[in-house]
Amino acid sequence: MAWWRSKGQEGGPPGRPGAWLGLLLLPALALAQPQPPAASPEVRVIVDVSGSMRSNDPEQLAASAVELLAALLPDGVTAGVWTFGETVAAPLPLAEVDDAWREQAMALRPALVEYQPFTDIEAAVAAAAEPSAVGEPHLLLLTDGVVDLPPARGPKPAIDDASRRRLLEALAPDLARQGVVAHAIAFSEEADLALVAQLSRLTGGLPLQVASPEQLPGAFLDIVERIFPTDQIPLVDGRFLIEAGVESFSALLFPGEGGEPLALVAPDGTRYVPDSPPAGARWQVESLFSLLRVAEPARGEWRLEGALGAQSRIGVQGAVGLHVGPLPATLYPEVGVPLEAWLVRGGEPWEGAPEDLAIDATLLDDAGRVLAEAPLQRDGERFVGELVPPAWLGPARLRLRAEGEGILRQRLQAVSVQPLLGLLPEAEEGAGAVAPGRPEGERFHEDLATGRDGGELVDSPADRFIDFIHDLPSRAAALGREALPWLEQRRRALVASPGQQAVAGGLAILLLVALMLLRRTRRRQRRRRVVHREDPHV
């Protein structure tokens, strides 16, 4: 099981190496300017229609996930859908999302089951990532296989390996430089899990792996909520509280075990069903989810009856909202994550926020168990703090909750806790492991020889080490993108505190002096090791 999708796997570095990098860079960052606000996101969905999807997705749930996406995307954003197998097509080109666009998306199911041989992931990502002046592109790749090109294009597996390398070593870093974020979902155990993880990590996206087709809509939802974060309120045992100031709520409901039909009960006891929703409400029912939107809801406790899935959630809109600073998709054990949150009213920071307002952060695993907690401290109109993930690896959720008199809001973001050594592909499943679909590891001297059948050379440990060194610039760029929010918070703290500037500057100087002394010592040691051999006697 790959580290980026394992549950409860122990491990990780004992210290916090990311902090040293931050201290070294802080003096320069104190003079840097804040990053400009990001452009409006646009969503580009890339769906694998290779022949293996016929057996891996017999219920055509990939099409259902696209329908869920169409229902959730807000009006006015730009979105499109691509499909790929041997060739790449765009059955739904980029366009502004409106009712007409949603109708086209709902009619895409036939195009998503026109299966093809082979799997050209590189061409699909390149086609969907074409530059656009509209907004900030977010790619959402869904695949159940590995790079598998037609033999007519060249000898296999050489052409497959070359395509995979171009994707990770050239295309992904180029996308990162352009600000393109690639999220990826591995749809089966046969998928190239390492490729999914590396592509997402290099571009700042979220990697996910689903164990069954039924989990696919939830994976799509996790990615949509990273692109378009929304305010939510807690849903506990089917109950949720609507306070004054909430102008509307949206209930995204997934069916639970038992299949009992869902019903909504208002605070006054009135019971509603999909065929008879509240006045002015819209209750959309699909095979894997239902979406209910209620405007001007009554204050008080509402409850849902029937079989309700654990991924169901309640989103709210109103004059007051919770805003959160940038959150990375990837967290690292024992490396602190800077957090910043604040309430807004009418689009501006709320100066009249309740005095008892408290904001806290919680890291949860897939089962809802608490992995780490951190209260945020008030700093003027904002709350700041740091959450340190434990020595635990796998998919998780980062929740920020604001609670005070008459107000309760929360934000949930899917994240992936990964080891710092995960930057080395072979570290994903332990020393000597290789990515799924790649040649199995052999002893070093055996890797240097051809196979028994006289075939092509397999990747040796030396080859993989050279590949890793070659990838360092792109991997460092991805790590830097994820570290920017943390470094920006430290920069602000330094600007506000001359004392901290002096401490950080002193630490940086000490570190540089230590490195110079170490280098000088090593040079002396090398000189002592020089041995002059005499010419042999004749």
Side-chain angles (χ1 to χ4, degrees), residues 301-392:
E301 184 182 80
W302 294 68
R303 72 177 189 273
L304 290 158
E305 297 179 344
L308 190 63
Q311 290 184 323
S312 301
R313 60 203 70 188
I314 308 295
V316 294
Q317 288 185 330
V320 176
L322 174 63
H323 280 207
V324 174
L327 296 175
T330 301
L331 311 184
Y332 301 101
E334 308 297 339
V335 178
V337 181
L339 302 172
E340 184 178 30
W342 63 98
L343 290 182
V344 297
R345 186 178 183 90
E348 299 294 333
W350 189 14
E351 298 180 357
E355 290 295 329
D356 65 343
L357 178 65
I359 301 181
D360 58 69
T362 306
L363 186 66
L364 307 164
D365 68 7
D366 273 357
R369 291 184 292 266
V370 175
L371 300 173
E373 296 179 288
L376 275 61
Q377 304 300 319
R378 188 186 288 267
D379 182 11
E381 298 170 350
R382 303 195 176 202
F383 288 72
V384 296
E386 182 180 76
L387 182 139
V388 181
W392 180 96

